[in-house]
Amino acid sequence: MDLYEYQAREIFQQYGIAVPEAETADTAREARHAADRLGGRVVVKAQVKTGGRGKAGGVKLATDPAAAELTARHILGMDIKGHTVRKVMLAQPVDIHAEYYVSYALDRAAGRFLAIASAHGGMDIEEVAATRPEAVTRIPVDPAEGITPTAAAAIATAAGLPPTTAPVLQRLWKILTDEDALLVEVNPLVRTTTGDILALDGKITLDDNARFRQTRWGAGAPTYDDPLEATAAAKGLNYVRLEGEVGVIGNGAGLVMSTLDVVAGCGARPANFLDIGGGASAQVMADGLTVVLADPGVRSVLVNVFGGITACDAVADGIVKALETVRLTKPLVVRLDGNNATRGRAILDARAHPLVEQATTMDGAARRAAVLATDAAAV
């Protein structure tokens, strides 16, 4: 469960991490009153559970309450990467001397957490991480040991952060453990011109498996802001929308995660995570294809299945029957391996759909899906 920025900000305050004064508003009129209470000059920030708000126009400086009202009217209702803005946060502006990035994230493969920090925070942290990986420090954290004052100081020193950020690193770790979080991120963590350390933006992802312990966030079923994620959940699909162009469908979370990595390694971006689990009936495949194809960013689809309990011929039958009810509008690359793979490939060959092609390896399938997505973008 991802929290909104204003919710993360409230948690930061509870744990002694300084944040700018701020209020939220659901309407432009409320935004005007909030700006007046905050001193007039405010930053108006869209509240959506996705990144890239600034570049999408969802973060604006307003010089007075009237400007805050106009800005909020423009931002409310915006679509940012498939998320509709229904609330804005208005915060007092800060005179920034330096911006940093700090986070703790679960490293499932290593069975521990990872501290990630950089002296180059802000909107371009992804570009920094891609082009200058040495500027981003990654330090494994043993959950049994946690973040002691010594460990916090070591992380700050390694990342080139000032010593005054070490207490924040300790408090963020306490948030992670106390709140059952999988990710706690501050970007940017800033040093003001007066030397204060403030969290200007925050992201917290809570572990859905711990919802029964975190009752203030609701113990019921999770809610979804993204309409495609909501549609998938209603169909019983394990789907997470990403920001790429290659739709991915697989059976088993581990296989799907590996597929995402291979697609990225081929120079393309996965558009989603979709695990159809152990079954691949016609209805499951139809539902999966319907959800993936509904994403306007998808330019090709990769189905990667390893036949085990569910044999590949049953998966192929499911795909063929799904194509009778789903209008395939994007090229579909299918890789079948494992139990009855040869028979499954023959079934798809016999169907001979003009937009469906097969590959025998995961790498080959990913490369072909990446090429098809690139070719579609060039048209």
Side-chain angles (χ1 to χ4, degrees), residues 94-99 188 190-193 200:
V94 173
D95 292 325
I96 300 172
H97 176 74
E99 295 184 330
V190 305
R191 179 159 58 96
T192 68
T193 53
L200 254 58

Side-chain angles (χ1 to χ4, degrees), residues 1-3 54 69 89 114 145 170 173 176 185 206 211 240 251 269 282 298 301 305 312 327 356:
M1 174 184 177
D2 294 325
L3 299 186
E69 180 177 4
M89 187 178 81
L114 196 63
E145 296 179 7
Q170 283 188 266
W173 177 258
L176 184 97
E185 175 186 276
L206 304 178
R211 290 175 72 92
V240 178
N251 63 328
R269 299 178 304 162
V298 168
V301 181
V305 170
C312 289
R327 181 173 174 267
V356 177

Side-chain angles (χ1 to χ4, degrees), residues 83-333:
H83 296 254
T84 301
V85 181
R86 295 186 173 87
K87 186 186 293 287
V88 294
M89 187 178 81
L90 300 95
Q92 290 180 337
V94 173
D95 292 325
I96 300 172
H97 176 74
E99 295 184 330
Y100 314 119
Y101 174 93
V102 295
S103 72
Y104 295 109
L106 177 62
D107 185 346
R108 295 184 186 275
R112 60 178 63 191
F113 284 88
L114 196 63
I116 307 172
S118 175
H120 305 276
M123 284 198 303
D124 296 323
I125 185 62
E126 290 87 359
E127 182 178 344
V128 170
T131 61
R132 298 171 53 205
E134 73 282 357
V136 180
T137 297
R138 296 172 174 83
I139 298 177
V141 179
D142 187 333
E145 296 179 7
I147 299 297
T148 62
T150 301
I155 293 169
T157 299
L161 309 183
T164 48
T165 61
V168 174
L169 291 169
Q170 283 188 266
R171 290 165 185 156
L172 288 174
W173 177 258
K174 186 166 177 56
I175 291 172
L176 184 97
T177 55
D178 288 358
E179 302 293 330
D180 289 307
L182 301 175
L183 169 72
V184 176
E185 175 186 276
V186 181
N187 184 38
L189 179 71
V190 305
R191 179 159 58 96
T192 68
T193 53
T194 58
D196 296 321
I197 301 295
L198 299 178
L200 254 58
D201 195 357
K203 181 184 294 184
I204 296 177
T205 300
L206 304 178
D207 187 350
D208 282 337
N209 295 308
R211 290 175 72 92
F212 69 96
R213 280 200 297 261
Q214 305 296 340
T215 55
R216 63 170 160 165
W217 305 117
T223 58
Y224 301 90
D225 291 311
D226 187 290
L228 287 181
E229 292 185 357
T231 299
K235 296 177 180 295
L237 297 173
N238 188 7
Y239 171 90
V240 178
R241 190 175 184 182
L242 303 174
E243 299 174 5
E245 56 279 343
V246 177
V248 176
I249 302 175
N251 63 328
L255 180 61
V256 178
M257 290 297 290
S258 297
T259 306
L260 301 186
D261 290 340
V262 174
V263 168
C266 293
R269 299 178 304 162
N272 64 271
F273 170 104
L274 176 51
D275 172 19
I276 59 174
S281 67
Q283 189 60 54
V284 169
M285 290 303 306
D287 289 342
L289 286 170
T290 299
V291 170
V292 171
L293 292 170
D295 183 344
V298 168
R299 296 173 185 148
S300 68
V301 181
L302 169 57
V303 175
N304 186 21
V305 170
F306 184 84
I309 296 174
T310 301
C312 289
D313 56 342
V315 174
D317 278 330
I319 294 173
V320 168
K321 292 176 181 175
L323 292 174
E324 296 173 359
T325 58
V326 177
R327 181 173 174 267
L328 190 60
T329 56
K330 307 291 170 62
L332 177 68
V333 180

